[in-house]
Amino acid sequence: MKRFASFILFFLFVSLQTFGQSRNGYATTSKKAIKLFEQATVLLKSREFPEAEKKLQSALAKDPNFIEAHLRLASIYGLYRKKELEKQSLEQVARIANGNLKYKSVYMKLAKVYFNEGDYDRALKMGNLFLRSRPRESEAKATEWIMENATYAKELMAKPVPFKAVMMDSTVNSFALQYFPVVTVDENTLIYTKRDGSGGSDTEDIVVSHRNKDGNWSKPVSISDNINTLQNEGTCTISSDGKMMIFTSCTQGGERKNYGSCDLYVTYKEGDDWSEPKNLGRTVNTSAWESQPALSADGRTLFFVSDRRGGFGRRDIYYTTKTDNGLWTPATNLGKNINTSGDEIGPFIHVNNQRLYFSSNGHKGMGGFDFFYSDRLPGGEFGPAENLGYPINDHNDQSSLTVNADGSLGYISIDQYQGNTAHSSLYTFEIPKAQRVLNRSSYVAGTVLDKDTQKPVAAKVELYNVSNEQLVNAVTADAVNGSYSIVLTEGSRYALFVSAPGYLFRSIPFNFEKTAGELESVKMDILLEPIRKGQITRLDNVFFDTNSYELREESKTELNKAVKFLEANRKLVMEISGHTDDVGDATYNKTLSKNRAKSVYEYLVGQGIAKSRLKYVGYGKEQPFVPNTSDANRQKNRRIEFKIIGDNQP
């Protein structure tokens, strides 16, 4: 290889005359070869490519050093994506030309070919050869970009990250192609796109597989007859609770309303059934191509790919947000930190809503599409893109990635080729520790039931960050089975509120400010008390400092929910009671508990609740919730309760 490169360099500026070209400018003096070449040119104009290829091969049989014939063959092979034959033809030109400036573009082409193959050293050598010929500015910049990426790829290879892709079992990988995997937050449901072959008649469908208690995946089946049609459906995304799905459907001429070649649609799950899909509308879909959706855990922000006009490149990542009335805002380009003059595809927003993963061939990488990630900045925008590193990325295309809730495991598809036949399979791999999300996520899940009847309640389940009163996530328990699931992310204290008309609300605290070791999921069934006299709910997210009855700022989230409950149930009369554990002087504890109840009373009155509807009392240690036999139990006994003492409703 070194001798070959030196040979090229030596002859880079050799005069054109040294090649003994014919008078008509061809690099051959063989009249028979020229005649065959010109016959091939006529055939190419009439798009008779196989016949043209035969003529060019015959011309090279007459003169193996006929450069123009090699170049023309390279063009044909490039058109048919016969990459190895294309490269061989270009290498023949480079060997014969020996630096002839007339054929300098071959070095630029070879630089690109070698880079795309991951042969970065040869790409750099060919790039240097081309740049020494003083090319046009546009060609020089394109070659310099290839060389910059080749240099960067070598740097990544010099410091590889741990990576071992493990193919998922054959039950999951049962089709010719499977790609764009999506997993629910509990990782027990896998949804992905499948094709039975790579032919034009093989359409895309969305399939689903479930993990059983033994960890094995069930046979994948069509996700729903309401979703899959005879045309193409694929690249879907699902909310963290598994109740809302957005997917791509390419149904021009079909029954579904569409605006472009492929549109995004939404469907909702109730029980085991998915609703009839609806087009997301003109604020999201256009006459262009929209695909590859990625939904935030709360279902309120949607990222997707579009090739509409006005972007940074041909395909860019956009986002839209869902308003309180259920409408989607006009889509916005995600900006220059993410999008480039190349293509950005395959977005995936982690359930912590802080890290975006995507693929790009426009950011500096190893060739083709690489995986990148970007973390949110304090202002909410996404920061600079970071390459996931080698060998997660290589010169091949990496294009569909999903990461689990705690950031430890990635789900990807990997392509293989047998000749021109494509296959793809689903794999998992451990995310390198240095590349994992800063704040891991887990979840709380269960059912919401009526305490008396044990029947499901379609309750609203809301998660608030108590430090800033921000609504983090909101889901609705399934009306058929009462199931719910909601994400909890490290770094905050949360209040989970569960409410439904006709029921006393529940509030549950979760402290995720600091976590160590493995994140455990929380299984919690929630029983709602029907509204009637004597019913009690604990205000577990009302906080006081030790020996203080001054409300801490983070109590406002809980108390404001209490205000909304009282406003919605205007005839209820409530007792606010304070309670302590058995530690300390009984008289002091009773006074402290009364003052704490009074602080809550005064806050509610200050928010417009009539004094006549509220009473406050301190019970001290007189009414323990659990026996005072441990620190954990004593903490449960230090509480504020809300009790219905009057119900004047007819």
Side-chain angles (χ1 to χ4, degrees):
M1 177 62 200
K2 289 183 178 179
R3 290 180 61 190
F4 172 72
S6 299
F7 187 68
I8 294 291
L9 284 167
F10 179 78
F11 286 98
L12 183 61
F13 298 107
V14 174
S15 170
L16 185 63
Q17 282 73 23
T18 60
F19 289 88
Q21 292 178 303
S22 62
R23 291 179 181 178
N24 56 15
Y26 292 127
T28 182
T29 57
S30 170
K31 293 182 179 179
K32 291 183 178 180
I34 292 171
K35 183 177 180 180
L36 289 165
F37 178 84
E38 290 177 343
Q39 289 173 349
T41 301
V42 173
L43 290 168
L44 286 172
K45 289 180 179 179
S46 59
R47 305 184 68 80
E48 297 179 57
F49 298 112
E51 292 77 9
E53 181 183 352
K54 291 177 183 178
K55 292 291 183 181
L56 292 169
Q57 294 286 11
S58 298
L60 288 170
K62 302 296 182 184
D63 184 354
N65 293 331
F66 190 176
I67 290 179
E68 286 78 11
H70 284 298
L71 285 172
R72 192 61 56 82
L73 270 177
S75 298
I76 293 174
Y77 294 143
L79 182 66
Y80 282 101
R81 298 183 179 180
K82 296 180 178 180
K83 295 181 179 180
E84 188 58 33
L85 291 175
E86 178 188 18
K87 181 179 73 169
Q88 291 174 9
S89 295
L90 293 173
E91 287 177 334
Q92 288 282 24
V93 174
R95 178 187 63 80
I96 300 164
N98 290 333
N100 184 350
L101 296 183
K102 180 178 179 181
Y103 306 108
K104 64 183 180 181
S105 63
V106 74
Y107 307 122
M108 179 179 69
K109 293 178 181 178
L110 278 173
K112 184 176 182 180
V113 167
Y114 291 142
F115 175 70
N116 289 336
E117 287 185 340
D119 192 343
Y120 304 119
D121 286 330
R122 296 179 79 181
L124 288 168
K125 290 176 181 178
M126 291 295 105
N128 279 319
L129 284 172
F130 179 70
L131 292 178
R132 292 179 186 181
S133 67
R134 297 181 180 179
R136 290 178 298 182
E137 182 179 0
S138 60
E139 293 178 334
K141 286 184 176 180
T143 304
E144 287 168 351
W145 176 244
I146 290 173
M147 297 173 68
E148 185 179 346
N149 279 267
T151 301
Y152 179 65
K154 292 184 66 176
E155 292 172 358
L156 292 178
M157 293 179 72
K159 47 182 181 181
V161 298
F163 175 69
K164 181 181 179 181
V166 179
M167 182 182 288
M168 299 186 72
D169 62 44
S170 57
T171 304
V172 169
N173 288 307
S174 58
F175 307 101
L177 298 102
Q178 37 264 305
Y179 42 90
F180 282 102
V182 174
V183 291
T184 51
V185 68
D186 61 6
E187 291 187 84
N188 287 328
T189 300
L190 174 70
I191 304 171
Y192 56 100
T193 306
K194 70 89 174 176
R195 289 180 69 184
D196 294 320
S198 55
S201 61
D202 295 299
T203 59
E204 294 179 322
D205 280 330
I206 301 172
V207 295
V208 60
S209 174
H210 300 284
R211 197 200 306 258
N212 62 26
K213 293 180 180 179
D214 297 326
N216 299 317
W217 292 98
S218 66
K219 181 180 178 181
V221 296
S222 171
I223 192 164
S224 171
D225 290 341
N226 280 343
I227 294 174
N228 290 321
T229 69
L230 295 177
Q231 295 175 295
N232 287 309
E233 284 79 29
T235 58
C236 68
T237 181
I238 194 166
S239 59
S240 63
D241 64 346
K243 306 296 184 185
M244 174 185 181
M245 179 191 293
I246 294 176
F247 66 96
T248 307
S249 184
C250 305
T251 56
Q252 282 191 315
E255 294 181 1
R256 286 181 182 150
K257 180 180 180 180
N258 63 285
Y259 300 103
S261 58
C262 294
D263 280 7
L264 298 176
Y265 295 78
V266 63
T267 177
Y268 297 92
K269 189 176 186 181
E270 190 170 288
D272 294 327
D273 298 324
W274 288 96
S275 65
E276 190 68 30
K278 292 184 178 180
N279 193 295
L280 286 186
R282 287 191 177 276
T283 57
V284 177
N285 294 312
T286 68
S287 58
W289 173 85
E290 278 79 35
S291 186
Q292 301 176 10
L295 196 61
S296 62
D298 61 4
R300 293 189 295 168
T301 303
L302 174 68
F303 302 85
F304 65 95
V305 180
S306 177
D307 63 358
R308 64 187 65 185
R309 294 180 179 179
F312 290 84
R314 191 172 72 88
R315 287 183 286 181
D316 280 5
I317 299 174
Y318 293 78
Y319 74 96
T320 175
T321 56
K322 193 176 185 180
T323 62
D324 291 340
N325 60 6
L327 300 178
W328 293 94
T329 61
T332 302
N333 191 291
L334 206 50
K336 63 181 180 181
N337 279 349
I338 304 300
N339 293 314
T340 68
S341 59
D343 285 342
E344 279 67 47
I345 62 173
F348 169 76
I349 184 69
H350 190 264
V351 293
N352 68 11
N353 206 28
Q354 297 167 14
R355 175 168 289 184
L356 179 75
Y357 295 89
F358 64 99
S359 297
S360 172
N361 62 12
H363 289 281
K364 197 160 57 174
M366 302 195 68
F369 286 96
D370 279 12
F371 287 133
F372 294 85
Y373 67 87
S374 172
D375 290 324
R376 282 191 192 273
L377 300 174
E381 295 183 357
F382 285 98
E386 299 287 343
N387 194 295
L388 270 179
Y390 173 84
I392 297 175
N393 291 318
D394 59 20
H395 66 280
N396 296 306
D397 286 339
Q398 284 77 42
S399 58
S400 58
L401 168 65
T402 292
V403 178
N404 69 348
D406 70 6
S408 64
L409 193 69
Y411 294 77
I412 56 175
S413 63
I414 296 179
D415 297 335
Q416 302 93 24
Y417 289 89
Q418 295 178 351
N420 290 327
T421 303
H423 298 273
S424 65
S425 302
L426 299 182
Y427 289 74
T428 62
F429 72 99
E430 286 192 18
I431 303 291
K433 290 184 178 179
Q435 307 279 44
R436 293 184 183 178
V437 293
L438 298 178
N439 290 315
R440 301 173 297 168
S441 296
S442 184
Y443 64 95
V444 55
T447 57
V448 182
L449 305 173
D450 183 301
K451 186 177 180 179
D452 293 345
T453 66
Q454 297 295 301
K455 291 183 178 180
V457 179
K460 182 184 292 186
V461 183
E462 299 171 297
L463 187 72
Y464 281 83
N465 183 330
V466 297
S467 63
N468 57 16
E469 296 187 71
Q470 180 181 356
L471 177 64
V472 177
N473 201 343
V475 301
T476 300
D478 194 296
V480 174
N481 55 36
S483 64
Y484 77 95
S485 175
I486 204 160
V487 172
L488 300 171
T489 298
E490 289 178 313
S492 298
R493 295 179 69 177
Y494 298 106
L496 187 70
F497 293 101
V498 185
S499 61
Y503 291 88
L504 196 57
F505 70 89
R506 285 282 309 275
S507 71
I508 303 156
F510 291 96
N511 189 346
F512 265 50
E513 284 183 313
K514 295 180 181 179
T515 55
E518 296 293 325
L519 280 181
E520 297 292 337
S521 60
V522 179
K523 300 293 185 181
M524 181 178 292
D525 291 335
I526 298 171
L527 302 179
L528 290 185
E529 303 264 12
I531 292 176
R532 61 173 176 262
K533 188 175 181 178
Q535 297 290 18
I536 298 173
T537 189
R538 293 173 56 181
L539 302 184
D540 281 329
N541 293 288
V542 173
F543 307 103
F544 304 90
D545 289 331
T546 303
N547 294 323
S548 171
Y549 53 85
E550 184 176 345
L551 287 166
R552 283 165 49 181
E553 190 68 22
E554 56 265 40
S555 303
K556 289 184 178 180
T557 303
E558 177 107 321
L559 296 178
N560 289 338
K561 296 297 289 187
V563 169
K564 290 183 178 179
F565 171 79
L566 291 169
E567 289 175 341
N569 299 274
R570 293 184 175 275
K571 294 188 178 182
L572 291 183
V573 180
M574 310 296 294
E575 176 189 271
I576 305 162
S577 58
H579 303 266
T580 68
D581 57 29
D582 63 346
V583 177
D585 179 76
T587 301
Y588 174 82
N589 281 344
K590 195 163 188 177
T591 301
L592 178 63
S593 64
K594 182 177 180 179
N595 286 334
R596 287 180 170 177
K598 182 180 179 182
S599 293
V600 173
Y601 165 86
E602 290 175 343
Y603 184 89
L604 299 179
V605 170
Q607 298 300 309
I609 304 301
K611 293 181 180 181
S612 60
R613 298 181 59 199
L614 301 173
K615 174 185 176 182
Y616 64 89
V617 61
Y619 291 104
K621 65 176 184 179
E622 295 173 2
Q623 297 181 2
F625 179 68
V626 291
N628 285 295
T629 54
S630 66
D631 289 341
N633 279 7
R634 289 187 178 95
Q635 184 176 357
K636 292 178 181 178
N637 287 330
R638 299 189 293 269
R639 68 197 190 277
I640 295 290
E641 289 184 341
F642 224 36
K643 180 180 179 181
I644 301 174
I645 59 174
D647 183 359
N648 298 320
Q649 298 185 58

